[in-house]
């Protein structure tokens, strides 16, 4: 599943209406070009593809006084809104996806109601517990891997460590959310200081 779809849909949704340069700047401000495939070319391509799929609505606006072609602004459609939340919910619960998808989802976590965010993270913890149990069904980490496995046993240790650390992070976030951290959907105004042109001076 593509993290860039979630990032672009989420950013346009947050802005209400945005052109490609704004989306690119926001994603770069979030560091997405470092931890995902959100490079300038892929961002503009995603905007056009999402518009073709009727997930974004494209508006051509007047060119600048300096000339040049009309700039295109995008806004999210009802179908795009549904796709955004589908991707967000999937990313928070799926344990077999690339890390960039979960990272993208965490950036939009506050767009969910608090109770739903907690429930999705609890689902993630349960899935990680199940995966860890599957990995260790024929091997006990404390006892070590069978000698015939050689260095391949390190893979199992990596998987167990990954499952445990991911679950620990999710449980800590659940505790923070249950303690009232962040302003979640339905609780007040969304913090727009995460947008490049709306940061406090």
């Amino acid at each position: 599943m593509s993290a860039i779809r979630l990032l672009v849909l989420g950013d346009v949704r947050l802005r209400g209406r945005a052109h490609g340069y704004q989306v690119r700047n926001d994603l770069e401000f979030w560091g997405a070009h470092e931890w995902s495939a959100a490079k300038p070319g892929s961002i503009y391509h995603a905007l056009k593809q999402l518009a073709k799929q009727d997930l974004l609505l494209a508006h051509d606006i007047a060119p600048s006084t300096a000339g040049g072609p009309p700039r295109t602004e995008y806004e999210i459609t009802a179908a795009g809104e549904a796709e955004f939340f589908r991707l967000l919910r999937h990313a928070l619960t799926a344990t077999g996806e690339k890390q960039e998808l979960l990272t993208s989802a965490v950036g939009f976590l506050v767009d969910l109601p608090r109770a739903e965010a907690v429930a999705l993270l609890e689902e993630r913890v349960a899935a990680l517990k199940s995966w860890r149990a599957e990995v260790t069904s024929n091997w006990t980490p404390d006892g070590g891997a069978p000698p015939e496995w050689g260095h391949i046993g390190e893979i199992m240790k990596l998987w167990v460590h990954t499952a445990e650390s991911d679950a620990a992070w999710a449980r800590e976030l659940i505790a923070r959310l249950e303690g009232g951290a962040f302003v979640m959907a339905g609780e007040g105004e969304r913090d727009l200081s995460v947008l490049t042109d709306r940061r406090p001076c």
Side-chain angles (χ1 to χ4, degrees):
M1 189 164 288
S2 169
I4 195 165
R5 286 171 69 86
L6 176 57
L7 286 166
V8 170
L9 285 171
D11 188 57
V12 173
R13 179 180 180 273
L14 182 57
R15 282 189 168 276
R17 191 158 161 164
H19 54 75
Y21 186 68
Q22 288 173 314
V23 175
R24 173 184 167 181
N25 279 353
D26 289 340
L27 269 54
E28 287 182 354
F29 174 53
W30 302 342
H33 59 295
E34 299 288 346
W35 47 260
S36 78
K39 306 298 188 281
S42 59
I43 292 168
Y44 290 108
H45 177 73
L47 285 164
K48 290 176 183 176
Q49 287 301 112
L50 291 166
K52 283 182 183 177
Q53 295 166 7
D54 296 322
L55 301 177
L56 294 177
L57 183 62
H59 302 275
D60 284 337
I61 60 173
S64 68
T65 54
R71 173 174 278 172
T72 302
E73 286 188 341
Y74 298 89
E75 66 179 311
I76 198 164
T77 64
E81 181 103 356
E83 175 69 356
F84 166 74
F85 281 107
R86 185 189 73 80
L87 290 169
L88 179 56
R89 292 175 178 121
H90 172 81
L92 289 172
T93 57
T95 58
E97 297 280 5
K98 292 181 178 178
Q99 191 69 21
E100 66 182 48
L101 188 63
L102 175 61
T103 305
S104 302
V106 172
F108 296 109
L109 180 71
V110 296
D111 291 328
L112 293 167
R114 187 174 302 275
E116 182 180 6
V118 167
L120 290 169
L121 289 166
E122 287 175 339
E123 187 177 332
R124 180 177 194 84
V125 170
L128 288 163
K129 183 178 179 181
S130 176
W131 179 46
R132 186 192 186 285
E134 183 179 339
V135 172
T136 60
S137 60
N138 296 309
W139 169 70
T140 304
D142 294 338
E148 63 269 22
W149 285 11
H151 71 280
I152 299 301
E154 296 300 325
I155 295 173
M156 303 303 174
K157 292 179 184 177
L158 173 61
W159 288 350
V160 168
H161 176 77
T162 300
E164 290 174 345
S165 61
D166 191 334
W169 165 81
R171 283 192 293 266
E172 289 172 4
L173 179 52
I174 288 168
R176 288 194 293 277
L177 290 172
E178 291 178 334
F182 317 119
V183 176
M184 305 296 287
E187 297 178 351
E189 291 296 317
R190 177 69 150 86
D191 178 12
L192 298 180
S193 65
V194 296
L195 302 175
T196 50
D197 54 358
R198 302 193 192 183
R199 283 175 282 172
C201 299

